[in-house]
Amino acid sequence: MFEIFLFINPIGIYCYDTEKQIRNTVDELGIDVCYHYISIANVCLVNDDAIRRRKDSQKLPDISTFSKTTYEALENYHAIKLKYGNKKAREFLYELQKNLSHDASAYNPKLLEEIATKLNIKTSTINSMKKSSYVRSSIEEDQKLANQWNIKATPTIVLFNEDNEQNGVLLEGPVAHEDLVNLLLPDYQNCFSKFMPQQNHLRLI
């Protein structure tokens, strides 16, 4: 049984691709995985995402609008998680990122309504929940965990194998299919020495 903590920017350009890669690889290997989505945002992460999108030749709104969009998505995610549960919140985030992965300017109230309707989420309920202190506490708890594990970039994967007592593995940045397969194979602990020295984005925690 594997446990995966996926630290993501709620609208991050590479976060959607990483989530999709994990899902596909887990399905391919037919293994049991427990997911934890840790959605975080700060000035550095917003700026990093803007830079990545510009390199990808995407059109972007001004940075203040882009920042506001990120934080609004963050609040929506946490509000849905508290009201509807983790699974529904992950579905919301996945649908949102799918729509924004190639065009961040597509974020608007109509898009949110479409996703909410598709997932049977009431936007009025979510907007009301966002005014509560519980959403702020939920955001702070996720940020606290990110600080604890010294997460500096998104996406970042932290993976644990519950069948042994080895340390977890932290994999930063876009993840390759081969890396995931190596980490998720039954003898994945033995592969650290093979490819860890060549990858400065992989470390034990």
Side-chain angles (χ1 to χ4, degrees):
M1 177 69 175
F2 290 91
E3 189 171 20
I4 294 179
F5 292 81
L6 181 56
F7 291 84
I8 51 177
N9 175 330
I11 63 168
I13 182 174
Y14 298 142
C15 295
Y16 169 72
D17 291 336
T18 298
E19 292 164 41
K20 185 167 61 174
Q21 182 73 270
I22 292 173
R23 291 185 183 203
N24 291 342
T25 303
V26 167
D27 289 343
E28 172 189 330
L29 298 178
I31 57 177
D32 291 327
V33 170
C34 177
Y35 294 102
H36 304 278
Y37 278 41
I38 314 297
S39 185
I40 56 177
N42 56 47
V43 173
C44 291
L45 295 180
V46 171
N47 287 337
D48 286 347
D49 193 45
I51 291 170
R52 290 169 175 175
R53 289 179 182 275
R54 290 192 183 102
K55 287 182 179 179
D56 202 41
S57 301
Q58 290 193 20
K59 294 186 296 182
L60 283 175
D62 62 85
I63 193 63
S64 62
T65 300
F66 187 60
S67 179
K68 181 180 179 182
T69 297
T70 303
Y71 285 104
E72 184 175 351
L74 179 69
E75 291 180 344
N76 285 333
Y77 168 76
H78 282 272
I80 294 170
K81 181 174 71 171
L82 290 170
K83 187 64 180 180
Y84 291 91
N86 288 316
K87 183 178 180 180
K88 186 74 73 173
R90 289 195 298 265
E91 291 175 350
F92 168 80
L93 208 56
Y94 194 70
E95 288 294 325
L96 180 63
Q97 291 171 336
K98 182 167 63 176
N99 281 275
L100 302 182
S101 60
H102 299 295
D103 183 8
S105 65
Y107 188 87
N108 57 60
K110 183 179 179 180
L111 174 62
L112 295 180
E113 287 285 351
E114 291 174 354
I115 295 175
T117 299
K118 179 179 180 180
L119 299 178
N120 294 317
I121 294 172
K122 293 184 178 180
T123 54
S124 59
T125 301
I126 297 309
N127 289 332
S128 178
M129 176 64 71
K130 285 161 61 176
K131 299 175 183 178
S132 74
S133 61
Y134 298 110
V135 168
R136 177 50 50 191
S137 296
S138 180
I139 292 173
E140 290 174 353
E141 283 299 314
D142 277 2
Q143 186 59 56
K144 186 185 299 183
L145 184 59
N147 294 341
Q148 177 184 332
W149 286 342
N150 197 31
I151 305 299
K152 300 296 184 183
T154 57
T156 291
I157 296 170
V158 176
L159 183 146
F160 294 94
N161 184 347
E162 295 184 349
D163 294 332
N164 59 52
E165 297 180 356
Q166 295 289 339
N167 291 327
V169 178
L170 186 150
L171 185 59
E172 186 177 278
V175 61
H177 175 263
E178 182 181 359
D179 287 350
L180 275 177
V181 170
N182 285 332
L183 289 170
L184 294 171
L185 288 174
D187 60 347
Y188 84 102
Q189 293 289 348
N190 297 327
C191 77
F192 292 164
S193 60
K194 297 179 182 178
F195 71 101
M196 189 171 178
Q198 288 77 40
Q199 300 190 36
N200 58 17
H201 62 311
L202 175 69
R203 70 176 189 268
L204 296 176
I205 63 170

